[in-house]
Amino acid sequence: MLNKYIISIHSSKKSVYIFCKDGACIDCKSIYEECLVSLQNQRHNTQTHQESSTTTSTETDITLDEIQTYKFYVYLDSIHLQGSKEIESNPLFFGELDKEGVFRESKPTYHLIGETDYDSKDSKETFTQTLHIFLNGNTLTLLNYSLLDSSLNIKLECNSSESKERQEKEKTQREQQKQQESKTKDSIQSTAMLHPILEDNEIKCPHNGIVKLKANKGKSFTSKGIPMVLESDLLNASIIGCTNNILTSDSKTFSTNQCIIPKNRTANAS
């Protein structure tokens, strides 16, 4: 099925224009990837018509993060969709009423719908929102719309308890996602640092000297029968082949009779 919208990107102005036909449906999450592909194709086609490729070779180097900083303009029936205020008498509906209290068909009307999906496998709830837009008999659907982000530069002003509750629900879910990402990141970092030094490892100083490893306080800790070398065991450890003869008692370094090995930099272990 062909998309019922046209994307026009002006990279010099960092702007994206989307012209929608009746019945169009846009995913507010994947639209950035679509724009990235469209811009890359646009620049590639331009480059093929250039006599010299050196002047445009760097232009194709664009990232998804850069696209997300562009300003979006969405049009339906040639009218720019900018958002509206919520109608107090009609919660989750945004637009303008005439004197009789009926929505003006000549003005965009926005209807926000929220859905909660439950993943039994991960025991996790996911809250998403869909925005339906009506204008002069035309309709446009925006999937994964965000009140917090005002997706695609369409800003909705919430006035009811229902819409404000949606905002709080979206905010809570976002905070939970950040906490989960932070825990995952911390777990990866913690795992990465759990690398013991054993007596049969080889550690080199910055001058390519080899540290002579000898377990003392770490003798009781072994891996496959090989004693573990603790940080305290590295103090005053001798280094063979170091060209830098320095003595130090600095608490921020390991003191040796030949070299200074900065803490957390006794890497090059094999």
Side-chain angles (χ1 to χ4, degrees):
M1 181 179 179
L2 295 176
N3 290 333
K4 292 187 175 182
Y5 55 85
I6 298 174
I7 300 175
S8 177
I9 304 175
H10 297 255
S11 55
S12 60
K13 298 180 179 180
K14 293 188 178 298
S15 302
V16 177
Y17 298 84
I18 304 178
F19 303 93
C20 304
K21 298 180 180 179
D22 178 32
C25 181
I26 299 175
D27 190 325
C28 295
K29 286 186 176 180
S30 62
I31 188 64
Y32 297 106
E33 295 179 358
E34 288 186 52
C35 291
L36 178 61
V37 173
S38 178
L39 183 56
Q40 288 175 337
N41 291 338
Q42 175 181 319
R43 289 182 173 181
H44 175 73
N45 292 336
T46 301
Q47 182 175 340
T48 57
H49 290 83
Q50 297 288 335
E51 292 183 358
S52 174
S53 61
T54 57
T55 58
T56 58
S57 58
T58 58
E59 292 185 359
T60 56
D61 186 19
I62 186 171
T63 64
L64 187 61
D65 290 338
E66 184 180 348
I67 286 291
Q68 292 175 338
T69 64
Y70 281 32
K71 192 168 184 179
F72 280 71
Y73 300 87
V74 182
Y75 292 83
L76 178 62
D77 195 29
S78 301
I79 294 180
H80 181 203
L81 303 177
Q82 303 180 66
S84 188
K85 296 181 180 180
E86 186 174 16
I87 306 301
E88 295 183 3
S89 58
N90 292 274
L92 304 178
F93 280 89
F94 305 76
E96 296 183 18
L97 302 177
D98 59 19
K99 295 181 180 180
E100 286 73 31
V102 179
F103 285 101
R104 296 179 182 274
E105 291 188 5
S106 59
K107 299 290 184 180
T109 299
Y110 308 82
H111 182 208
L112 188 64
I113 299 177
E115 297 181 358
T116 301
D117 295 327
Y118 182 77
D119 189 339
S120 58
K121 182 179 179 181
D122 298 330
S123 300
K124 181 181 178 181
E125 286 187 353
T126 303
F127 177 67
T128 58
Q129 296 181 107
T130 300
L131 184 64
H132 295 285
I133 305 171
F134 308 93
L135 176 63
N136 292 328
N138 298 286
T139 61
L140 168 63
T141 302
L142 300 183
L143 304 177
N144 294 306
Y145 177 83
S146 169
L147 282 169
L148 297 179
D149 297 335
S150 297
S151 299
L152 303 183
N153 204 27
I154 297 177
K155 302 177 182 179
L156 301 180
E157 183 178 322
C158 300
N159 297 317
S160 71
S161 58
E162 289 89 343
S163 60
K164 292 179 180 179
E165 182 181 348
R166 297 279 179 84
Q167 280 184 316
E168 288 301 318
K169 197 167 185 177
E170 185 180 343
K171 184 178 180 180
T172 300
Q173 177 172 274
R174 185 166 297 185
E175 291 175 349
Q176 290 175 345
Q177 289 175 344
K178 288 182 178 180
Q179 291 176 359
Q180 183 60 39
E181 290 173 358
S182 178
K183 288 180 180 179
T184 301
K185 183 178 180 180
D186 291 342
S187 176
I188 293 174
Q189 290 178 340
S190 298
T191 302
M193 289 187 286
L194 293 175
H195 181 71
I197 300 176
L198 305 178
E199 272 192 347
D200 65 345
N201 288 151
E202 181 181 274
I203 295 181
K204 293 184 178 181
C205 73
H207 315 98
N208 212 34
I210 299 176
V211 182
K212 188 176 180 180
L213 299 176
K214 183 65 178 179
N216 185 13
K217 294 183 179 181
K219 281 185 177 180
S220 58
F221 303 99
T222 62
S223 176
K224 296 181 179 180
I226 302 174
M228 184 183 300
V229 178
L230 302 181
E231 180 177 317
S232 58
D233 297 335
L234 284 172
L235 295 174
N236 299 314
S238 61
I239 301 178
I240 302 172
C242 177
T243 59
N244 189 30
N245 298 318
I246 299 177
L247 289 173
T248 179
S249 59
D250 187 353
S251 62
K252 293 184 179 180
T253 62
F254 297 128
S255 177
T256 75
N257 60 350
Q258 291 179 298
C259 183
I260 301 175
I261 308 175
K263 283 187 178 181
N264 299 327
R265 293 188 182 179
T266 59
N268 296 336
S270 59

